[in-house]
Amino acid sequence: MNELFTVIIYAYNNLQYLKECVDSVLEQDYSNIELLITDDSSKDFNINLINKYINDNKRINISKVTINRNEKNLGIIKNLNKAISISSGKYMMNLACDDKLHDNTVITSVVNCFNKTNALAITGFLEWCNIDMTKSGEYYPDRCTMDYVNNNPPLNLFKLLCNRNFLVGPGFSYQRELINKYGYYDEDYTLLEDYPRYLSLSRQGCNIHFIDKVLVCHRYGGISSSPGNNEEEIKLRAIFGKEIAYAKEKEINPYRNIL
């Protein structure tokens, strides 16, 4: 039997996209999935309706359903760490509620890649999509990035990441062994999960494999990509910018001697 694979869907006040995200997990051809939804105290989160929808639509590939709702807002990092702590899978993937898996072979492809490479962490491509999830045919990052990641030691990746983050967070997958060896996400951050994690892992010698596959349809309009100008978006972008600066201060500056 295939090992259990946990898809962590993390949500906060964007539940209008949850059904589409959940459907992309239910439609996977992998046979042993834990669907774990963790909500960070959204105003309109209705666990009964969500449970009913999943139970009415899930297939035999969904071995376990776990739904967590935080009583107060924790921020992305603490919410994600809490989900990891209650998850059951050998493998895990992070998936924001406003994104979705690109096609029904994503999880099978990731598991096959884990088995083939023995990697502890896997990243891949995303496809940019409009707000209505219309696919654009534009992918990120480019194939040169994939070749560089897979053909260089982790320290070289760290040195290049010090200039900027060119790896994506959506669809980032990892084995539980990664958590056991390198720990949970750094809770000094509130919103920024991918850049500090990639810097820390590569600096410590963790091989991150880049799979030759589009993993996620990424809806344009998140904190890092939206030019939105309402008060909450401005506030979140300000926090996001400060955390990028803090990541450089914490994850790069103390290690200038190895650059």
Side-chain angles (χ1 to χ4, degrees):
M1 185 177 181
N2 289 329
E3 298 281 358
L4 185 65
F5 192 110
T6 300
V7 179
I8 297 173
I9 298 177
Y10 51 100
Y12 175 61
N13 285 345
N14 52 359
L15 298 177
Q16 68 270 31
Y17 305 122
L18 181 60
K19 177 181 178 295
E20 193 171 22
C21 184
V22 167
D23 284 347
S24 75
V25 178
L26 300 181
E27 293 165 1
Q28 291 297 299
D29 65 3
Y30 189 73
S31 64
N32 192 15
I33 298 172
E34 176 186 23
L35 174 58
L36 196 164
I37 299 171
T38 181
D39 178 76
D40 204 15
S41 194
S42 297
K43 296 176 182 178
D44 54 350
F45 189 80
N46 189 317
I47 190 169
N48 292 326
L49 286 178
I50 294 169
N51 259 323
K52 184 178 187 309
Y53 180 81
I54 294 172
N55 288 329
D56 288 347
N57 292 277
K58 72 177 181 179
R59 306 173 185 176
I60 59 172
N61 61 327
I62 306 300
S63 305
K64 185 174 183 180
V65 176
T66 305
I67 300 179
N68 168 68
R69 183 178 189 273
N70 302 325
E71 291 301 317
K72 64 178 182 178
N73 183 261
L74 302 177
I76 289 175
I77 309 306
K78 289 184 178 180
N79 187 30
L80 184 55
N81 278 343
K82 185 175 181 180
I84 293 170
S85 72
I86 62 176
S87 67
S88 303
K90 177 181 179 180
Y91 310 111
M92 285 169 275
M93 174 186 284
N94 302 339
L95 186 62
C97 178
D98 52 357
D99 294 334
K100 69 176 185 177
L101 298 180
H102 188 264
D103 59 72
N104 70 345
T105 68
V106 167
I107 294 179
T108 295
S109 298
V110 169
V111 171
N112 288 341
C113 188
F114 274 128
N115 291 334
K116 181 178 179 180
T117 65
N118 204 30
L120 294 183
I122 290 175
T123 186
F125 298 101
L126 62 77
E127 182 172 6
W128 292 106
C129 296
N130 297 324
I131 196 70
D132 63 355
M133 268 302 180
T134 302
K135 294 181 178 180
S136 68
E138 297 179 9
Y139 306 99
Y140 186 85
D142 56 36
R143 295 188 67 83
C144 291
T145 299
M146 180 184 71
D147 294 338
Y148 186 90
V149 172
N150 290 341
N151 293 293
N152 277 278
L155 190 57
N156 282 6
L157 176 59
F158 171 71
K159 292 176 180 178
L160 201 59
L161 283 168
C162 286
N163 295 319
R164 66 181 180 89
N165 184 23
F166 49 87
L167 300 178
V168 300
F172 180 61
S173 302
Y174 43 99
Q175 298 200 47
R176 184 167 299 279
E177 185 181 345
L178 181 85
I179 304 299
N180 296 337
K181 186 172 183 178
Y182 297 103
Y184 285 77
Y185 283 80
D186 188 344
E187 294 186 359
D188 281 351
Y189 303 90
T190 302
L191 303 176
L192 187 63
E193 81 278 19
D194 52 350
Y195 190 35
R197 191 63 163 171
Y198 285 135
L199 285 168
S200 177
L201 290 175
S202 59
R203 189 186 68 246
Q204 294 181 77
C206 176
N207 283 308
I208 300 171
H209 187 83
F210 199 116
I211 188 173
D212 188 5
K213 184 171 179 63
V214 183
L215 300 179
V216 169
C217 293
H218 183 60
R219 181 177 272 107
Y220 186 84
I223 296 169
S224 60
S225 61
S226 173
N229 56 9
N230 68 53
E231 185 175 344
E232 182 176 3
E233 288 173 331
I234 292 171
K235 179 181 177 181
L236 290 175
R237 286 203 309 278
I239 296 172
F240 194 75
K242 289 179 181 178
E243 292 195 342
I244 291 176
Y246 180 61
K248 294 177 179 179
E249 177 184 336
K250 181 175 183 179
E251 307 293 345
I252 298 174
N253 290 345
Y255 307 98
R256 292 288 180 183
N257 61 310
I258 65 175
L259 297 179

